[in-house]
Amino acid sequence: MSYISKEFVRPFATVLRAQGYCPTGIARRLGDYGECDTLPLLLPADKVAQFCADGAALLGDPDLGLHSALALPPGSLGVLEFGPQVAPTGRAAVEFVVQHFSLLRPVSRLRLENSHWPWRVTFTPPADGPPNWELAEHEVALVVRILRAAIGADFVAERATFTQRRSGSEREFEQFLGTSKVEFGQRSTSLVLGAAAVQRTPPKADAGLFAFLSARATRELEEVRIRVVPSFIREQLASMLGKQAPTLSRLAVKLRMSTRTLQRRLEQSDTNFHELLDAVRAEKATHLLDTTVLPIDEVSAQLGYSSPRAFLRAFRRWTSTTPTQWRRRGDVLRAPPAA
């Protein structure tokens, strides 16, 4: 399962409120949170996509993604917005946005192809992320808005492509991008930038301030990734169980980071790989025993154990009982003890 920062929900909720709709009812699809302001740091991408699609349908607005990006007040994106404005060159501004865009989407990133002109900025969400036009439009519009504020109001893209297909007129979005070359149903979602758009010096260029903000953005990005550990890495580990032997190196590949970096982030979250794996297995084991009639050896296999005997030993350590006794007790509300 992939996740999206809650900051992606706020602007959509703002547009809904501005049109006289309370977003709370739609936000309940994201979980039992009640209000958008009480949402956790990360939300399941499929639920965010549904929230955005429901909002667009409610308003009858096929460009809700664009309007939500434009509704953000100046300065609301913090260092991601201010950094490019003081970049010494247009090139540095684009590179800054690409490098630090994960401040908004911790498990996603942008990819920059700049070995020759034109440049291409490609949006690379997680492979299991759900396709959603509103989110794609919002992300692209955010990047254009940030670069336009930094490089100049006449900043335009040469071309834009989207993996999503959409119905209705694209005229408003084309006008915003400054190009009629907008293609849908393509292999990637990307912005194509020409030399004229990038080879300019931002009016507020300040090399010293840019260096300071770059360092700050890097620290903030590291902090965001650390906070992802409890909610995201556990999900990724759980998805690996029963499919392949869960190892630190395989988890690192799944998370698109080095083994050393993953170890460091786990340490910063006061845990390690074996403790995390044990906790995830304990949680999934009791869930399977409470909600299914799977044989014990099948439960063991789904947890990634080499043998049922190894699972039985671990389960006794977690609960001081056996899987069979656990089921007989019918204690389906009992939370698994901390590993």
Side-chain angles (χ1 to χ4, degrees), residues 5-161:
S5 167
K6 70 176 180 181
E7 298 307 317
F8 264 74
V9 174
R10 293 184 186 277
F12 287 90
T14 298
V15 174
L16 284 165
R17 286 195 180 101
Q19 296 296 323
Y21 294 95
C22 177
T24 300
I26 304 177
R28 289 200 178 100
R29 292 179 179 271
L30 303 176
D32 189 18
Y33 307 117
E35 293 287 346
C36 291
D37 292 339
T38 64
L39 296 175
L41 175 70
L42 295 174
L43 298 164
D46 58 341
K47 292 186 178 181
V48 174
Q50 189 61 54
F51 173 85
C52 298
D54 288 350
L58 180 65
L59 296 178
D61 183 0
D63 284 309
L64 180 60
L66 169 62
H67 297 150
S68 61
L70 297 179
L72 287 167
S76 59
L77 298 177
V79 68
L80 184 64
E81 183 175 355
F82 293 127
Q85 293 182 19
V86 296
T89 64
R91 288 171 174 257
V94 174
E95 291 167 350
F96 183 96
V97 174
V98 170
Q99 182 179 356
H100 299 104
F101 190 73
S102 293
L103 285 170
L104 293 182
R105 260 186 113 154
V107 296
S108 182
R109 63 177 183 268
L110 303 186
R111 185 176 73 251
L112 177 61
E113 300 170 25
N114 61 350
S115 59
H116 55 78
W117 295 107
W119 284 11
R120 179 182 293 271
V121 177
T122 301
F123 296 73
T124 57
D128 59 346
N132 179 267
W133 161 248
E134 291 80 18
L135 285 177
E137 182 186 41
H138 181 85
E139 286 187 319
V140 170
L142 273 184
V143 169
V144 171
R145 174 181 160 171
I146 291 170
L147 293 176
R148 195 165 281 168
I151 299 174
D154 57 343
F155 171 86
V156 296
E158 283 193 357
R159 187 161 61 93
T161 64

Side-chain angles (χ1 to χ4, degrees), residues 2-322:
S2 59
Y3 289 80
I4 295 177
S5 167
K6 70 176 180 181
E7 298 307 317
F8 264 74
V9 174
R10 293 184 186 277
F12 287 90
T14 298
V15 174
L16 284 165
R17 286 195 180 101
Q19 296 296 323
Y21 294 95
C22 177
T24 300
I26 304 177
R28 289 200 178 100
R29 292 179 179 271
L30 303 176
D32 189 18
Y33 307 117
E35 293 287 346
C36 291
D37 292 339
T38 64
L39 296 175
L41 175 70
L42 295 174
L43 298 164
D46 58 341
K47 292 186 178 181
V48 174
Q50 189 61 54
F51 173 85
C52 298
D54 288 350
L58 180 65
L59 296 178
D61 183 0
D63 284 309
L64 180 60
L66 169 62
H67 297 150
S68 61
L70 297 179
L72 287 167
S76 59
L77 298 177
V79 68
L80 184 64
E81 183 175 355
F82 293 127
Q85 293 182 19
V86 296
T89 64
R91 288 171 174 257
V94 174
E95 291 167 350
F96 183 96
V97 174
V98 170
Q99 182 179 356
H100 299 104
F101 190 73
S102 293
L103 285 170
L104 293 182
R105 260 186 113 154
V107 296
S108 182
R109 63 177 183 268
L110 303 186
R111 185 176 73 251
L112 177 61
E113 300 170 25
N114 61 350
S115 59
H116 55 78
W117 295 107
W119 284 11
R120 179 182 293 271
V121 177
T122 301
F123 296 73
T124 57
D128 59 346
N132 179 267
W133 161 248
E134 291 80 18
L135 285 177
E137 182 186 41
H138 181 85
E139 286 187 319
V140 170
L142 273 184
V143 169
V144 171
R145 174 181 160 171
I146 291 170
L147 293 176
R148 195 165 281 168
I151 299 174
D154 57 343
F155 171 86
V156 296
E158 283 193 357
R159 187 161 61 93
T161 64
F162 292 89
T163 57
Q164 293 82 4
R165 297 183 181 275
R166 60 162 290 177
S167 59
S169 173
E170 296 90 35
R171 184 174 181 179
E172 183 178 3
F173 193 53
E174 291 175 351
Q175 288 177 339
F176 169 77
L177 292 179
T179 177
S180 60
K181 298 178 180 178
V182 181
E183 303 169 0
F184 301 92
Q186 302 301 306
R187 296 181 61 182
S188 65
T189 295
S190 61
L191 282 171
V192 178
L193 309 178
V198 178
Q199 292 180 328
R200 289 185 291 175
T201 301
K204 299 178 182 179
D206 186 325
L209 182 55
F210 180 71
F212 170 78
L213 292 178
S214 295
R216 177 176 172 178
T218 299
R219 288 195 302 271
E220 287 188 9
L221 191 58
E222 184 75 10
E223 291 172 1
V224 167
R225 287 169 175 165
I226 291 170
R227 293 198 299 270
V228 168
V229 169
S231 56
F232 179 63
I233 294 184
R234 289 174 67 97
E235 289 283 350
Q236 297 304 302
L237 254 182
S239 70
M240 292 170 63
L241 296 180
K243 298 177 182 176
Q244 55 183 334
T247 64
L248 181 67
S249 59
R250 284 175 175 167
L251 178 60
V253 170
K254 191 173 182 66
L255 294 169
R256 301 174 183 171
M257 62 178 67
S258 70
T259 301
R260 187 173 181 179
T261 298
L262 176 56
Q263 282 181 315
R264 185 174 69 252
R265 292 189 181 141
L266 290 173
E267 290 170 0
Q268 290 168 331
S269 298
D270 297 322
T271 187
N272 59 55
F273 175 76
H274 296 293
E275 290 176 350
L276 196 65
L277 175 60
D278 204 50
V280 169
R281 278 173 161 167
E283 183 177 354
K284 187 168 183 178
T286 52
H287 175 74
L288 289 174
L289 292 172
D290 289 341
T291 60
T292 74
V293 293
L294 290 173
I296 301 303
D297 58 349
E298 178 62 25
V299 173
S300 172
Q302 289 203 22
L303 296 175
Y305 282 101
S306 58
S307 69
R309 180 173 295 181
F311 166 56
L312 293 173
R313 286 197 302 268
F315 194 85
R316 185 176 289 277
R317 174 166 51 82
W318 299 328
T319 66
S320 299
T321 187
T322 68

